[in-house]
């Protein structure tokens, strides 16, 4: 069994840490360097954890459990304006980041207002690219109820609604609700606020656990971390200067390089003796051409397609 | 934050949250202390939002003499700013009046001015018009109101500033309610939905 942990410390002797991860058969999921500080999210065998932990402490770092590692979560507000965006949304995004998720903060183009609020099909499709989303609404019950119905009902990924009052009659629109966090003009620093952030983290973990269980019933043909390990040596990814050029999802990954330029090369790579293009669905991201989505087919889907090919050949 | 803030509306959670939001935003711009009384009416189901603010005193223009100590010595006027909030405005006003070559900022709050005849002349320069505080308060009220509530009317009467806001069409009954809130504020009585 593999465990996901995060090293948080300096870059001193970090090359030895990477060697150790490789030696025990682990994988680096995410590496973020900021000046002399480094955070490394890694997946390592359960039995080697004490040794890796001891080494991290020896080089002056800390080790934390990261329940949301290997996921990409969108934190969404009705707009990017200062009425909606700052404080709770940024604090939630930062809290989820500390839990190991890669988070993206976004606002809708025309999400403001009660009667005039809307979400476009394109926005819905962009949101659907993520593993889960946290949708932040406001302080008024009638507004939350109207907008939850309007904005959330077409989203197809697990959704956690965060709002102020307790809404009624919107059970089918989201997977979990956290109440008591409305629009605020200050940071979430008080003990009550911190408890709310933890509650948001717990709800996100729960909805992702449900998704993981659903995926485990018919698991992907290969684990996303294996494709990540394969793509890390691909030169355009290696040369990519964007933070986290490869982001893992529960059933695939996002590669932050141009689809038009590189998708054929990626499709022709080999994994377990098969073309990557045969075991994955590679599509351009709806955001723009600068990233692509690699969704791994399930084992049954690959077996079915193999059977179909064999039938045709016969 | 000991001023009188009356919040009335149809949604209790929203009432409490907006009272806090109003206090924090007014405190941020440094105007909470200059407000005597406020009434906030919140009807999200309409939607109709009214905020009315009564100032402690009618704002007047601020001159350099009000916010700094000045003394003239050998053809140079020394300005020592006592209220830091006006430091950038003071420097800009002195540059405008005497030119950049004649105005030196020796320290964060100390400025020397060449070319001024007397310190009284420097004292009389205006750094903030009487309209500026009202403009800042209106800006803060716009920040308090929800972003989508964009159709807004403002009126001022006897030191009471009132903003009526709705989402689509400003109906006459909304303006009438705004006037009622304003009247209650002028008379100093409570307004309840």
């Amino acid at each position: 069994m593999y465990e996901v942990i995060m090293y948080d410390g300096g870059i001193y002797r970090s090359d030895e840490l990477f060697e150790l991860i490789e030696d025990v058969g682990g994988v680096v999921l995410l590496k973020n360097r900021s000046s002399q500080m480094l955070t490394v999210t890694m997946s390592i065998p359960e039995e080697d954890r004490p040794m890796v932990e001891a080494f991290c402490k020896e080089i002056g770092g800390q080790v934390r459990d990261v329940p949301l590692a290997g996921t990409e979560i969108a934190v969404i507000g009705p707009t990017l304006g200062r009425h909606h965006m700052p404080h709770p949304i940024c604090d939630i995004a930062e809290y989820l980041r500390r839990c190991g998720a890669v988070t993206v903060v976004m606002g809708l183009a025309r999400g403001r207002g009660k009667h005039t609020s809307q979400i476009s099909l394109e926005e819905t499709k962009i949101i659907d690219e993520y593993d889960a989303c946290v949708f932040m609404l406001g302080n008024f019950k009638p507004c939350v109820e109207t907008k939850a119905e309007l904005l959330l009902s077409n989203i197809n990924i697990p959704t956690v609604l965060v709002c102020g009052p307790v809404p009624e009659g919107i059970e089918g629109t989201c997977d979990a609700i956290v109440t008591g966090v409305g629009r605020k003009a200050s940071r979430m620093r008080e003990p009550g606020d911190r408890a709310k952030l933890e509650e948001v983290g717990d709800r996100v973990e729960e909805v992702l656990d449900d998704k993981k269980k659903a995926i485990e019933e018919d698991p992907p043909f290969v684990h996303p971390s294996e494709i990540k390990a394969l793509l890390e040596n691909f030169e355009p990814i290696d040369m990519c200067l964007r933070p986290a050029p490869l982001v893992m999802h529960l059933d695939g990954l996002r590669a932050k390089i141009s689809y038009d330029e590189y998708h054929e090369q990626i499709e022709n790579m080999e994994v377990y003796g098969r073309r990557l293009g045969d075991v994955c669905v590679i599509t351009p991201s709806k955001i723009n051409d600068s990233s692509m989505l690699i969704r791994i087919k399930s084992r049954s889907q690959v077996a079915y397609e193999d059977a179909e090919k064999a039938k045709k050949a016969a | 934050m000991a001023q009188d803030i009356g919040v009335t509306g149809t949604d209790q959670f929203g009432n409490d949250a907006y009272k806090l939001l109003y206090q924090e935003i007014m405190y941020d711009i440094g105007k909470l202390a200059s407000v005597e009384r406020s009434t906030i009416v919140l009807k999200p189901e309409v939607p109709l939002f009214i905020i009315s603010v009564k100032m402690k005193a009618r704002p007047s223009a601020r001159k350099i003499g009000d916010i700094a100590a000045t003394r003239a010595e050998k053809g140079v006027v020394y300005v020592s700013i006592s209220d830091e909030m006006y430091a950038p405005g003071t420097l800009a006003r002195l540059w405008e009046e005497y030119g950049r070559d004649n105005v030196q900022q020796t320290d964060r709050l100390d400025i020397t001015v060449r070319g001024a005849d007397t310190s009284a002349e420097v004292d009389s320069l205006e750094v903030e018009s009487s309209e500026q505080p009202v403009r800042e308060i209106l800006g803060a009220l716009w920040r308090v109101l929800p972003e989508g509530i964009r159709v807004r009317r403002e009126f001022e009467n006897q030191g009471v500033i009132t903003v009526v806001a709705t989402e689509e069409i400003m109906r006459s009954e909304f303006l009438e309610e705004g006037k009622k809130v304003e009247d209650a504020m002028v008379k100093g009585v409570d307004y309840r939905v």
Side-chain angles (χ1 to χ4, degrees), chain A residues 79 81-84 112-117 139-143 164-165 180-186, chain B residues 11 13-15 17-18 21 24-25 42 44-47 49 142-148 150 167-168:
Chain A
T79 69
R82 67 179 167 190
H83 290 70
H84 290 115
R112 68 171 76 89
K114 188 185 167 197
H115 302 312
T116 51
S117 178
N139 285 317
F140 294 115
K141 194 174 166 184
C143 293
V181 189
R183 184 186 151 203
K184 287 162 82 78
S186 56
Chain B
D11 187 311
F13 187 94
N15 292 354
Y18 268 73
L21 203 61
E24 283 178 345
I25 290 175
L42 306 167
E45 72 287 350
V46 178
F49 296 82
W142 278 51
R143 267 168 73 188
V144 174
L145 291 166
E147 195 182 352
R150 298 181 82 81
E167 189 173 6
E168 287 168 295

Side-chain angles (χ1 to χ4, degrees), chain B residues 83-157:
Chain B
D83 191 339
E84 195 183 352
M85 203 175 84
Y86 295 99
T90 305
L91 190 63
R93 186 71 186 87
L94 290 170
W95 276 344
E96 186 190 324
E97 191 68 25
Y98 299 105
R100 290 204 176 209
D101 292 345
N102 294 319
V103 179
Q104 298 287 320
Q105 189 179 21
T106 51
D107 201 345
R108 198 157 57 104
L109 299 174
D110 296 320
I111 301 170
T112 58
V113 184
R114 291 181 193 280
D117 294 331
T118 59
S119 65
E121 181 190 317
V122 175
D123 280 349
S124 64
L125 293 174
E126 205 175 90
V127 283
E128 187 186 82
S129 71
S130 57
E131 286 174 8
Q132 184 64 21
V134 176
R135 227 178 285 144
E136 283 177 17
I137 287 175
L138 274 176
L141 299 186
W142 278 51
R143 267 168 73 188
V144 174
L145 291 166
E147 195 182 352
I149 308 303
R150 298 181 82 81
V151 182
R152 297 165 187 184
R153 296 280 185 283
E154 295 108 17
F155 23 91
E156 195 191 350
N157 180 19

Side-chain angles (χ1 to χ4, degrees), chain A residues 239-261:
Chain A
M239 300 295 285
C240 181
L241 295 175
R242 295 168 70 180
L246 285 171
V247 180
M248 277 177 50
H249 290 179
L250 292 177
D251 58 352
L253 34 105
R254 179 192 297 278
K256 293 180 185 171
I257 52 171
S258 167
Y259 172 84
D260 285 341
E261 276 183 62

Side-chain angles (χ1 to χ4, degrees), chain A residues 1-5 17 19-29 42-53 225:
Chain A
M1 216 18 215
Y2 276 72
E3 279 192 11
V4 179
I5 58 172
L17 174 64
E19 273 177 29
L20 180 63
I21 295 168
E22 202 180 323
D23 289 347
V24 298
V27 181
V28 174
L29 302 179
M42 62 191 103
S43 171
I44 51 166
E46 194 179 11
E47 58 273 19
D48 293 315
R49 180 176 172 155
M51 186 172 62
V52 176
E53 264 188 10
S225 64

Side-chain angles (χ1 to χ4, degrees), chain B residues 37-39 51-55 58-59 134 141 154-163 178-179 181-188:
Chain B
R37 208 155 168 268
S38 319
T39 297
I51 308 181
S52 191
V53 174
K54 186 173 190 179
M55 309 288 287
R58 205 177 173 78
V134 176
L141 299 186
E154 295 108 17
F155 23 91
E156 195 191 350
N157 180 19
Q158 298 175 45
V160 175
I161 303 164
T162 307
V163 179
K179 285 285 178 198
V181 176
E182 185 184 56
D183 287 346
M185 287 289 282
V186 170
K187 287 175 192 161

